[in-house]
Amino acid sequence: MMIENWHWILVYPALILVVMETLWIGSRRRPGFGHKTAIVITIVVRIIYLTWRVMFTIPSDAWWNTATGILLLTVEVLGFAQSLAVYVTLWTPYAGRTVPLPPADELPRVDVFIATYNEPVSMLRMTIAGAVGMRYPTDGVRVFVCDDGAREEVRQLAEEYGAIHLIRPDHAHAKAGNLNNALGRSDGDLIVTLDADMVPRPDFLERTVGRFQDPELGFVQAPQAFYNEDPFQYNLFSGQALPNEQDFFMRTLQAGKSHFNAVMYVGSNTMFRRSALESVGGFAVGVITEDLATGLLIQGAKYRTEFVPDIIAAGLAPENLADMLKQRDRWCRGNIQTARKWNPLTLPGLTLMQRWLYSDAVVYWYFGVFKLIYIITPLLFLLFGVVALDTSVEALLIFWLPTYLCVMLCFAIIVGRRRSHSWSNIYELALTPAIALSAAAETLGLRVKAFNVTPKGVGLKEQVFHWRIALPHLVLLTLAVVGLVRGIFLSPELANTSALYINVFWCLYFVVGLVLAVTLCVERPRLRSAERTPMSTPVTAAFQNFGAHPGELVDLSLMGARISIPWSERLDPKGFASKASSVTALQIPEVGELPGIGSWIVNSSDGVTIGFRFDPLTPEQTVDLVQVITESPNWVRGDEEEKAYLATAGWRAVRGATTPTLPWRRAQVRMATSSSAVLHLVTLFERGPALELAREREAAFAVDRVPTAAAGGLALDVVDHPEAESLDRDPGALTAAVEDIGFGGCRLSLRHRLKPGALVIVEIPGSLAQPEVAEVRWVKRRWVGYEAGLQFDRANPTG
């Protein structure tokens, strides 16, 4: 399309930019400003753009160019239809409502279903504790642990917390069959479904039950929120900058869908009216996304649904990219399966808006196919000369540029900081190859491996690179580089042509996203056994040698805590350094005293920061601790981006990957000292018996201070000990200088070489209140003598 005097026509994009920029600035200062105006302008601009595309840009010189051009245009039209659904959904901001509980004598009975198969018991413990700790004015709440794994340890866990353990003779229909089994063996008026990792807050029932005073309400859906970092946040070192990738749908789009009674059941954090479930035959079977299908059928049965915008339960997002792809593969296939079995366009009982929004949700899962078409189109030109867009740079500046700017700014105006257009593109690019394959395979009816539950809570102990996931992105990047080189340097006939400029820019646009997608495949290790929640609340720590001292609870989990204790007259740096005193208990408000052991320590000019590991908790302590954690305002991160520009994200990823881990994150941090130690060595012929013997000897020292010879002839495990007979004490004793000591162990300097792996009993007067069983972890030769690292048997460096 040739345009004469095109510089005059640039008034149109300039005017659009000025108006939209003004609306965006206004919305930053006053949320909601220009909301609907921006949507209307964007829709009009996009219609103008698509009209231009249809009338003037389809190539007609060769059939392959025409076919490629029509395919690209089709994808753009579908993209506009999807954006239109978002605009309609978010046209009116959602204002949630609060409905109090009815009088106590009118409260319904509530059954809570926790579905589990093979999730870690430690994860399940927190969910069960949260469920039994939910506040309710009566005792009409029962918790059912629906265990499709039929595990004895899960049965014991359920009984420990007063929950009901349910199993069944088979695993028919997977999660849906598991929930239907519980439905048939319970009788509550309301049913709550929770995934094994989704921990409810104490106010879960208070925020949901009152709404069911409306007899037409079928189910209430709360957001699925997450208290750990997803792979985008974690691998890109952007946990403080990015919200969880699912937050936009779970918190924003679901709220908008509630205007049209189209809230989607997402499998957890949901309360149903039993009669609504029974009216559609229980939880839907025959598809792998029973949640989407069940909600669709209940709405088709003319029940009303509501969305609760509050975070009243949260769980674990997939911890690595491979697990995320398993999850999204399931969602993609399940949505397509559901549409095939219960087509929202023809299912009786749905309104026009419900049909549109559910159909849009299904079409969304073809984003991988659509995105691949966008990526491959410029490559086809640069590599093979296939032209999909017959236009000029000037025409693009007039029609495409204002459209692109409108889309970005409109998105920012109606969504705010909850999601940027750029990050939406990155999220989709990272998942594009896998989801494109899933959508294509399910559409064509190709057989795939059986669905596996998304693993969570398993952790990753070392850095890995997901070659199989990154390979498609690397192939696309390689083709892009080859195409750019060929188009710019090896094709003189394309020099200074509009087509070259357009396709080079187009290609580079996606290269940035592909590079970040490959970076995402570098999986960082997750060393902690439990997620910590920032707290900043008062705590009292009981020191072994210094008594109780007030401090601040920095973070908290069911496994342990991090505390900060300031220096004081009774706790000063000099005295503390000379006595590496361990913390033996924490006094936490609303929980009480929790015994345990310090596992690491860092000192500073202001005080000490201590890692504390709890002893096994009682069920009552666990319930109280879960309530403290889940009611913390820091339990779940907010859903807004902060300093989330792509350039800064890339810099954070590079800086994070090249910055050494802080020592106290790597291992036990020790405090320098000049104490002396006495070692009593144990032969390591069998670790189990030797350890028990060492513990017996430790107990003897702690209680009676029995001389070493009285312990009964423990043999030496010393490789080089020619002077043992001349020692002042018995042949089983060695003396050493203590170079540093901490809660987890110590570093010694001695004349004799210890054997790595040997067990010893170590006495350090003034620093250890009693002898400690320790293991020799490493030994190094020095100019004079040896240096050895000992780890106390009580220590847990990675807890």
Side-chain angles (χ1 to χ4, degrees):
M1 175 183 178
M2 299 300 296
I3 300 177
E4 296 182 1
N5 298 322
W6 60 268
H7 49 282
W8 290 105
I9 307 179
L10 285 178
V11 172
Y12 163 68
L15 179 62
I16 294 298
L17 177 59
V18 169
V19 172
M20 292 297 293
E21 188 78 16
T22 301
L23 293 176
W24 176 73
I25 293 173
S27 69
R28 299 275 288 188
R29 296 178 177 176
R30 193 178 69 182
F33 176 82
H35 184 102
K36 296 178 179 178
T37 303
I39 291 176
V40 171
I41 292 174
T42 302
I43 291 174
V44 171
V45 169
R46 294 190 74 168
I47 290 174
I48 293 173
Y49 167 76
L50 289 174
T51 302
W52 166 73
R53 285 280 285 113
V54 170
M55 297 182 63
F56 300 106
T57 65
I58 304 298
S60 57
D61 54 340
W63 69 265
W64 52 85
N65 290 339
T66 303
T68 307
I70 292 174
L71 180 63
L72 178 63
L73 177 62
T74 302
V75 171
E76 290 188 81
V77 172
L78 289 172
F80 172 65
Q82 289 184 292
S83 297
L84 196 60
V86 173
Y87 298 151
V88 171
T89 300
L90 302 182
W91 177 260
T92 303
Y94 179 73
R97 66 187 187 119
T98 300
V99 182
L101 290 173
D105 59 349
E106 299 178 13
L107 285 171
R109 293 167 301 148
V110 181
D111 289 337
V112 181
F113 297 168
I114 302 174
T116 179
Y117 176 59
N118 62 356
E119 294 82 4
V121 173
S122 58
M123 174 197 299
L124 198 56
R125 181 184 301 275
M126 189 168 180
T127 302
I128 296 174
V132 301
M134 292 188 295
R135 293 190 292 264
Y136 204 56
T138 73
D139 58 357
V141 179
R142 293 190 300 173
V143 177
F144 293 82
V145 180
C146 309
D147 180 20
D148 243 8
R151 293 173 289 171
E152 175 61 22
E153 60 268 30
V154 174
R155 183 192 66 77
Q156 294 176 2
L157 179 66
E159 292 180 353
E160 188 180 349
Y161 285 84
I164 301 169
H165 182 247
L166 292 182
I167 60 174
R168 55 188 180 132
D170 56 49
H171 303 303
H173 304 301
K175 180 181 176 181
N178 192 12
L179 293 174
N180 282 331
N181 175 64
L183 190 64
R185 298 171 64 179
S186 62
D187 57 6
D189 305 301
L190 303 177
I191 305 296
V192 175
T193 61
L194 294 172
D195 284 343
D197 63 302
M198 282 288 167
V199 184
R201 282 171 47 108
D203 59 351
F204 186 98
L205 300 179
E206 296 171 344
R207 301 290 186 94
T208 52
V209 170
R211 300 168 187 268
F212 284 87
Q213 296 173 79
D214 177 1
E216 296 183 355
L217 184 63
F219 70 84
V220 168
Q221 178 67 61
Q224 280 196 21
F226 306 93
Y227 58 87
N228 66 326
E229 294 183 2
D230 68 22
F232 292 96
Q233 297 170 303
Y234 192 73
N235 291 346
L236 298 178
F237 296 85
S238 296
Q240 299 301 314
L242 296 176
N244 187 282
E245 181 266 341
Q246 294 184 48
D247 280 348
F248 179 62
F249 171 79
M250 294 293 182
R251 303 200 207 183
T252 302
L253 291 183
Q254 282 277 70
K257 291 175 186 290
S258 66
H259 292 305
F260 308 102
N261 193 26
V263 177
M264 294 180 177
Y265 171 40
V266 294
S268 185
N269 307 0
T270 318
M271 178 175 284
F272 290 93
R273 186 184 301 278
R274 175 181 286 273
S275 58
L277 273 173
E278 292 175 341
S279 71
V280 297
F283 295 92
V285 298
V287 294
I288 59 177
T289 49
E290 77 295 325
D291 43 10
L292 176 75
T294 302
L296 176 65
L297 293 173
I298 288 176
Q299 289 165 347
K302 297 297 185 181
Y303 280 96
R304 197 172 62 80
T305 57
E306 278 194 21
F307 177 72
V308 179
D310 309 303
I311 303 302
I312 55 177
L316 293 171
E319 294 181 341
N320 59 69
L321 193 57
D323 292 344
M324 176 178 278
L325 288 175
K326 289 180 183 178
Q327 182 189 70
R328 303 312 159 86
D329 169 79
R330 170 181 177 262
W331 293 353
C332 173
R333 292 178 180 276
N335 273 258
I336 296 172
Q337 287 177 8
T338 300
R340 186 182 295 120
K341 189 169 184 177
W342 295 286
N343 191 332
L345 295 176
T346 58
L347 184 70
L350 295 179
T351 65
L352 181 62
M353 282 302 300
Q354 286 173 329
R355 297 184 192 281
W356 182 19
L357 293 180
Y358 270 101
S359 298
D360 174 72
V362 175
V363 173
Y364 167 79
W365 286 104
Y366 288 90
F367 75 81
V369 177
F370 302 158
K371 194 70 72 175
L372 273 182
I373 292 172
Y374 280 125
I375 296 172
I376 292 174
T377 298
L379 297 181
L380 290 176
F381 173 80
L382 294 172
L383 293 171
F384 306 108
V386 177
V387 178
L389 193 64
D390 183 15
T391 188
S392 64
V393 173
E394 296 88 348
L396 281 179
L397 292 176
I398 294 170
F399 294 103
W400 173 82
L401 183 61
T403 304
Y404 179 75
L405 295 175
C406 259
V407 169
M408 281 206 312
L409 291 171
C410 179
F411 198 74
I413 291 168
I414 64 177
V415 173
R417 292 193 176 102
R418 285 165 287 177
R419 171 70 68 86
S420 64
H421 185 267
S422 298
W423 276 105
S424 291
N425 184 50
I426 297 300
Y427 293 145
E428 292 184 355
L429 270 176
L431 306 177
T432 281
I435 298 304
L437 181 61
S438 299
E442 189 62 43
T443 302
L444 297 174
L446 301 179
R447 297 184 62 182
V448 295
K449 294 187 298 183
F451 158 68
N452 294 316
V453 176
T454 305
K456 293 177 183 177
V458 295
L460 183 68
K461 301 306 180 186
E462 58 184 19
Q463 181 172 291
V464 298
F465 181 68
H466 292 296
W467 281 103
R468 292 182 61 184
I469 299 174
L471 184 59
H473 299 94
L474 292 171
V475 169
L476 290 171
L477 277 172
T478 301
L479 291 175
V481 171
V482 173
L484 290 169
V485 171
R486 182 184 182 279
I488 297 173
F489 301 107
L490 304 179
S491 302
E493 70 279 6
L494 298 179
N496 298 320
T497 62
S498 294
L500 178 63
Y501 295 144
I502 292 169
N503 285 279
V504 166
F505 171 79
W506 192 347
C507 185
L508 290 174
Y509 175 81
F510 283 109
V511 162
V512 174
L514 290 171
V515 169
L516 272 177
V518 171
T519 305
L520 186 67
C521 295
V522 180
E523 203 74 59
R524 293 172 57 201
R526 297 189 188 233
L527 299 178
R528 275 182 171 164
S529 55
E531 292 293 329
R532 296 285 180 89
T533 299
M535 297 301 295
S536 68
T537 55
V539 68
T540 301
F543 285 88
Q544 194 173 54
N545 294 333
F546 295 95
H549 287 267
E552 181 181 78
L553 187 63
V554 180
D555 58 36
L556 180 66
S557 76
L558 286 187
M559 302 294 292
R562 179 161 52 122
I563 55 177
S564 177
I565 310 292
W567 299 126
S568 64
E569 291 183 0
R570 293 193 302 117
L571 185 70
D572 62 274
K574 184 178 180 180
F576 194 80
S578 65
K579 297 181 180 181
S581 177
S582 176
V583 175
T584 59
L586 295 185
Q587 185 77 27
I588 300 177
E590 302 179 16
V591 178
E593 184 176 276
L594 298 177
I597 188 69
S599 57
W600 56 260
I601 179 172
V602 177
N603 65 319
S604 67
S605 59
D606 299 323
V608 293
T609 300
I610 299 166
F612 186 80
R613 177 166 52 92
F614 298 134
D615 285 344
L617 302 172
T618 66
E620 294 76 15
Q621 289 172 328
T622 304
V623 170
D624 291 343
L625 202 56
V626 167
Q627 289 180 339
V628 169
I629 292 171
T630 57
E631 290 189 312
S632 167
N634 302 317
W635 184 40
V636 176
R637 188 199 182 282
D639 62 346
E640 292 190 345
E641 295 179 0
E642 297 290 341
K643 299 179 180 178
Y645 300 109
L646 295 186
T648 56
W651 168 242
R652 276 193 301 267
V654 172
R655 183 182 60 187
T658 56
T659 300
T661 306
L662 290 174
W664 67 274
R665 292 292 191 190
R666 277 202 306 264
Q668 308 296 330
V669 173
R670 309 283 169 77
M671 301 187 71
T673 182
S674 57
S675 304
S676 298
V678 177
L679 306 181
H680 310 275
L681 295 100
V682 179
T683 301
L684 192 61
F685 52 90
E686 288 186 29
R687 182 178 179 86
L691 182 57
E692 291 304 316
L693 189 57
R695 284 174 175 162
E696 290 176 10
R697 183 160 186 168
E698 176 189 8
F701 273 109
V703 177
D704 300 320
R705 308 303 298 171
V706 178
T708 306
L714 297 179
L716 291 177
D717 191 3
V718 180
V719 176
D720 181 14
H721 191 190
E723 302 177 16
E725 298 297 332
S726 65
L727 292 174
D728 292 337
R729 303 191 64 175
D730 70 277
L734 296 174
T735 57
V738 183
E739 296 188 355
D740 57 37
I741 186 169
F743 291 160
C746 59
R747 181 162 55 99
L748 306 178
S749 174
L750 67 170
R751 296 174 58 189
H752 310 286
R753 183 175 183 271
L754 300 177
K755 181 178 179 181
L759 292 178
V760 302
I761 301 175
V762 56
E763 290 183 277
I764 307 178
S767 292
L768 294 179
Q770 61 185 27
E772 291 283 356
V773 177
E775 179 183 348
V776 180
R777 299 305 301 271
W778 55 265
V779 177
K780 294 181 181 179
R781 184 70 187 244
R782 303 179 67 174
W783 287 106
V784 178
Y786 297 87
E787 187 178 49
L790 272 60
Q791 179 177 307
F792 299 143
D793 182 65
R794 65 185 183 184
N796 180 14
T798 60

